[in-house]
Amino acid sequence: MFARRIAVVGAGYVGLTTAACLASLGHRVCCADVEVAKVERLRRGEVGILEPELPDLVTEGLAAGRLSFVVGARRAVGDAEVVFLCLPTPMGEDGSADLAAVESVIAETRELLPTGCVVVTKSTVPVGTAHRLAELLGRHDVAVVSNPEFLREGSAVTDFLNPDRVVVGSDAQDAAERVAALYARLGAPTVLTDAASAEMVKYAANCFLAMKLSYVNAVAELCERLGANVTDVTEGIGYDRRIGQAFLQPGPGWGGSCLPKDTAALARVAAAVGLDFPLLQATIDTNHHQRSRTVAKVRMAVGGSLAGARIGLLGLTFKAGTDDLRDSPALAVAGALAAEGAELTGHDPAVRVVSGPLTVVDDPYAVAKDADALVLLTEWPEFRALDWTMVAELLNGKVVIDTRNHLDPDVLSRAGLTWHGVGRPSVAC
């Protein structure tokens, strides 16, 4: 494998993981970001996001001289053979992806890119973006390639180095093959296609996963009404290889930095070309319903009114293993509880401060003190290991709403607590 000179623009979850992992594969990588303080920390090997294995890879890359950090894209691209754009594409007010950051970097660097360089969009971008960026570049000697990422927060390094597949798309076959060669050591199946299809792969994948989560949440609600157990149901269907076990865990709704914006963006794209996509809209609507259903469970548990109720929240991030609060269903539920007058105290192993009507404490037992109900919203392993007898003594109301089916109902029952899960029969003390 030939070592390439690579520039990575953006040092967030995707950019930093991409830079550190490519450096670990032997490439020489310069990673750029606009935040001066972040770049200075990274030069010292200090990683400011919770991502297992990433700090070690950054430290190793710096020590080996294969990884460096600079302020600003212009300083990174001058001698690069491949430039990865790992920039935020947040959801705009109309639901479409905002490409301002991507287009800004293209405008800033187009005159500096070396002849024969390949620009790679790693960010999730709408179908047609590669073609648009090629027009903005106005450089026939610079190819644009789509290479979507499929990284899960909390396991991003593992996902990068052990991918299910590598997808590379471009209208320039040789450029696509050069990008695919960067991953050759990983031995993953590689899909070489056109740019539009590669861009579509990411949206199609994420929206399918969101659909699967909304489906299992709807099934869980049906199980509650019919007296079935969703855990047994999902086990039964998950052994079917056509379905699989992944993304079949009910919860308070899905969130994070990807699924909400990607479902909204694909819905917007479909509408723009006159396609009615009711299945996708139902996926989004079901997710909103699930959050409302969670609030209704808490309301019922405290007697029918949340006004003045003291509610303890366990977990605030959108999933365990990350410190990411973006579009967290836990915070959405918290906001709805507060809107009905609940007084909220929360704890999360990865969070110290949250804006809004919520007091965050360092001790999970402080969450339970004098609370009328305890609500588990994020599936941190630490919560299973709590002394539930002590929790029961601290609680005012002896009820726990477990929105992830994460806790052992029998353990809580023996502690004198009533457990309410999702899609499963409640267990009383």
Side-chain angles (χ1 to χ4, degrees):
M1 184 198 76
F2 292 103
R4 296 292 188 184
R5 297 186 304 276
I6 297 173
V8 175
V9 183
Y13 277 98
V14 174
L16 187 57
T17 300
T18 298
C21 288
L22 286 173
S24 77
L25 295 176
H27 303 292
R28 302 187 68 85
V29 183
C30 181
C31 183
D33 201 274
V34 294
E35 294 185 31
V36 176
K38 179 192 288 187
V39 170
E40 290 176 349
R41 289 194 300 270
L42 289 171
R43 286 172 175 169
R44 298 192 297 267
E46 300 172 7
V47 175
I49 55 179
L50 180 61
E51 194 61 57
E53 302 180 67
L54 187 55
D56 290 340
L57 280 190
V58 170
T59 299
E60 292 167 9
L62 289 169
R66 292 192 300 268
L67 180 62
S68 60
F69 297 94
V70 298
V71 177
R74 294 173 64 87
R75 297 182 60 190
V77 304
D79 66 344
E81 297 171 86
V82 182
V83 177
F84 282 89
L85 302 181
C86 302
L87 298 157
T89 54
M91 182 168 59
E93 291 184 2
D94 62 354
S96 61
D98 183 350
L99 298 179
V102 176
E103 293 177 355
S104 175
V105 168
I106 290 294
E108 181 184 356
T109 61
R110 61 187 171 196
E111 301 299 331
L112 302 175
L113 297 172
T115 296
C117 174
V118 178
V119 173
V120 182
T121 56
K122 200 73 171 167
S123 308
T124 302
V125 295
V127 177
T129 297
H131 179 71
R132 172 171 170 72
L133 295 184
E135 290 183 336
L136 290 175
L137 275 172
R139 296 274 304 267
H140 296 294
D141 59 336
V142 175
V144 178
V145 170
S146 173
N147 174 218
E149 53 85 14
F150 304 98
L151 307 179
R152 297 167 298 167
E153 291 183 32
S155 58
V157 171
T158 298
D159 290 343
F160 191 103
L161 297 177
N162 302 276
D164 295 324
R165 75 292 201 195
V166 173
V167 177
V168 183
S170 179
D171 298 332
Q173 183 73 12
D174 60 332
E177 291 174 353
R178 267 191 286 163
V179 173
L182 299 176
Y183 303 94
R185 283 181 54 187
L186 302 180
T190 301
V191 178
L192 287 176
T193 183
D194 58 274
S197 296
E199 290 163 343
M200 187 64 191
V201 165
K202 179 59 184 290
Y203 281 106
N206 274 359
C207 290
F208 182 82
L209 295 177
M211 193 180 308
K212 201 172 179 183
L213 288 169
S214 284
Y215 175 78
V216 78
N217 279 332
V219 168
E221 183 173 5
L222 189 58
C223 285
E224 290 178 13
R225 298 190 183 192
L226 298 177
N229 186 325
V230 73
T231 301
D232 295 340
V233 172
T234 55
E235 181 182 11
I237 66 175
Y239 283 119
D240 188 326
R241 286 173 293 180
R242 297 169 300 174
I243 297 173
Q245 301 279 359
F247 285 76
L248 282 181
Q249 294 74 39
W254 40 265
S257 62
C258 294
L259 298 190
K261 74 179 183 68
D262 291 353
T263 49
L266 189 61
R268 178 71 179 176
V269 167
V273 296
L275 174 67
D276 187 23
F277 203 155
L279 191 58
L280 181 56
Q281 189 58 52
T283 297
I284 297 169
D285 293 342
T286 298
N287 193 47
H288 293 154
H289 170 69
Q290 187 68 5
R291 297 178 180 186
S292 299
R293 203 166 79 86
T294 300
V295 173
K297 285 191 172 190
V298 181
R299 186 190 305 117
M300 184 178 299
V302 297
S305 174
L306 287 162
R310 296 171 61 88
I311 307 297
L313 307 178
L314 291 175
L316 302 171
T317 55
F318 86 94
K319 71 173 185 176
T322 177
D323 56 359
D324 198 345
L325 295 168
R326 287 176 291 180
D327 220 322
S328 169
L331 293 187
V333 169
L337 293 172
E340 294 192 27
E343 300 175 13
L344 305 176
T345 303
H347 169 78
D348 190 288
V351 177
R352 295 294 174 264
V353 179
V354 173
S355 60
L358 170 64
T359 300
V360 179
V361 294
D362 293 334
D363 183 358
Y365 295 102
V367 169
K369 185 173 175 56
D370 298 327
D372 297 310
L374 193 61
V375 186
L376 185 143
L377 291 164
T378 311
E379 70 284 17
W380 287 96
E382 294 93 322
F383 297 149
R384 289 182 62 91
L386 292 176
D387 183 337
W388 286 98
T389 299
M390 181 184 297
V391 172
E393 293 172 354
L394 292 168
L395 281 169
N396 179 36
K398 307 302 182 184
V399 61
V400 175
I401 297 93
D402 181 0
T403 71
R404 301 279 186 170
N405 292 341
H406 181 60
L407 306 173
D408 186 332
D410 293 333
V411 170
L412 270 65
S413 178
R414 289 194 297 269
L417 296 168
T418 295
W419 176 90
H420 296 292
V422 179
R424 292 172 58 178
S426 297
V427 177
C429 57

